[in-house]
Amino acid sequence: MKFFVDTADTAEIKELADIGLLDGVTTNPSLIMKAGRPMKEVIAEICGIVEGPVSAEVTATEFKDMMAEAEVLGKIADNIAIKVPLTLNGLKACRALSDNGQMVNVTLCFSANQALLAAKAGASFISPFIGRLDDIHLDGLEIIREIRVIYDNYGFETEILAASIRSANHVKDCALVGADVATVPPAVLKGLAKHPLTDKGLEAFLADWAKTGQSIL
C-alpha cells in the first residue's frame, strides 16, 4: 500500500519524507486555507519535497473553467495530479486531462458507480471518502471492497485512494480490502508506529542495558 499524507503543512511533510514513509501528498482548498499562504507557493514547495504525486484541486465547477485552472496547476511541477470533483463536468475534465497525459485524482467519491465512471474517464486515482460515509452511518469500507471487485473485474488501472481516513484501524482495514493508496493526516500516519507494548518493551530493554554500564559507541 502507498501512503500519501493529507495536508498542506510543509513542515509535517518534510518530517515524514525524511523518515521515508511518503509516496505522495493530497491537498484540497480547506487544507490550503489552513496553511495561510499563497496556494501556488505551497504546492510548489510540496512538489519539491516529495517525488510522488501531489494532488492540487481545481475550484471551478464548469468544464471550461476547470480546464483553465488545471492548466495553471499542471505547470507548477511535473508531479502534479489535478484533483477534480466527481461530477459530470469533473469526469469530462478527467477524460480530457488524462488523454493529454496528465495525472488526475477524482475526488468526493461516495459510491461504486461513481468510481466506475471515474475509471472509464481515465482517472489515475479515485478518492472514496470512507470517514464521511461512516459519519452518516454507512459502511465506508464497503465502498472500497466494491470498487476493488469492479476494477479487478475489468482490469482498470485507476488506483483506489482511500480518503477521509480517521484512524489507524481505517488504514489497516483499507489495506485488508485492497486499497492501493491511503491518504492520511500526519498524526494518523505517525500513529501507525505506536503500540503500548512496544513502548513498554523498549523501556525495559533500556533499563536493563543501563544496568550493564556498557556503551555501544
Side-chain angles (χ1 to χ4, degrees):
M1 174 183 265
K2 297 176 185 177
F3 286 141
F4 290 2
V5 67
D6 194 36
T7 185
D9 185 327
T10 54
E12 292 272 23
I13 294 168
K14 286 177 183 175
E15 179 184 355
L16 291 167
D18 286 344
I19 297 170
L21 292 176
L22 282 192
D23 298 293
V25 175
T26 55
T27 70
N28 59 46
S30 297
L31 293 173
I32 294 294
M33 180 194 69
K34 291 178 183 178
R37 296 164 53 198
M39 178 272 295
K40 293 180 189 177
E41 176 185 302
V42 174
I43 296 296
E45 184 175 347
I46 293 171
C47 289
I49 298 169
V50 298
E51 294 182 1
V54 175
S55 289
E57 188 165 349
V58 300
T59 58
T61 58
E62 297 300 321
F63 169 74
K64 182 179 178 181
D65 297 330
M66 285 183 182
M67 294 300 293
E69 291 184 357
E71 183 176 2
V72 172
L73 294 172
K75 290 178 179 177
I76 294 175
D78 291 338
N79 55 333
I80 288 287
I82 303 298
K83 204 172 183 184
V84 299
L86 214 158
T87 61
L88 289 177
N89 281 331
L91 293 170
K92 184 177 180 181
C94 177
R95 170 51 67 196
L97 292 166
S98 62
D99 283 350
N100 286 330
Q102 174 69 59
M103 285 189 293
V104 182
N105 178 357
V106 180
T107 191
L108 292 171
C109 173
F110 295 98
S111 77
N113 283 333
Q114 289 180 314
L116 176 57
L117 293 178
K120 288 185 68 65
S124 308
F125 304 98
I126 182 66
S127 292
F129 278 39
I130 64 172
R132 294 196 191 184
L133 286 168
D134 288 348
D135 289 345
I136 59 170
H137 310 294
L138 296 175
D139 184 356
L141 285 171
E142 184 61 24
I143 188 177
I144 304 292
R145 295 187 188 96
E146 292 174 346
I147 297 169
R148 180 78 278 156
V149 171
I150 291 169
Y151 283 10
D152 289 347
N153 280 349
Y154 298 101
F156 288 122
E157 296 182 0
T158 301
E159 295 187 59
I160 303 171
L161 195 166
S164 186
I165 286 178
R166 309 282 174 74
S167 68
N169 278 340
H170 265 164
V171 177
K172 176 198 69 178
D173 291 338
C174 285
L176 285 170
V177 298
D180 299 292
V181 188
T183 186
V184 297
V188 173
L189 186 52
K190 294 176 187 176
L192 298 180
K194 295 204 174 281
H195 195 284
L197 292 180
T198 301
D199 295 338
K200 185 176 181 180
L202 180 59
E203 183 180 353
F205 289 158
L206 292 177
D208 288 342
W209 178 248
K211 293 173 184 176
T212 71
Q214 301 179 56
S215 173
I216 294 175
L217 298 178

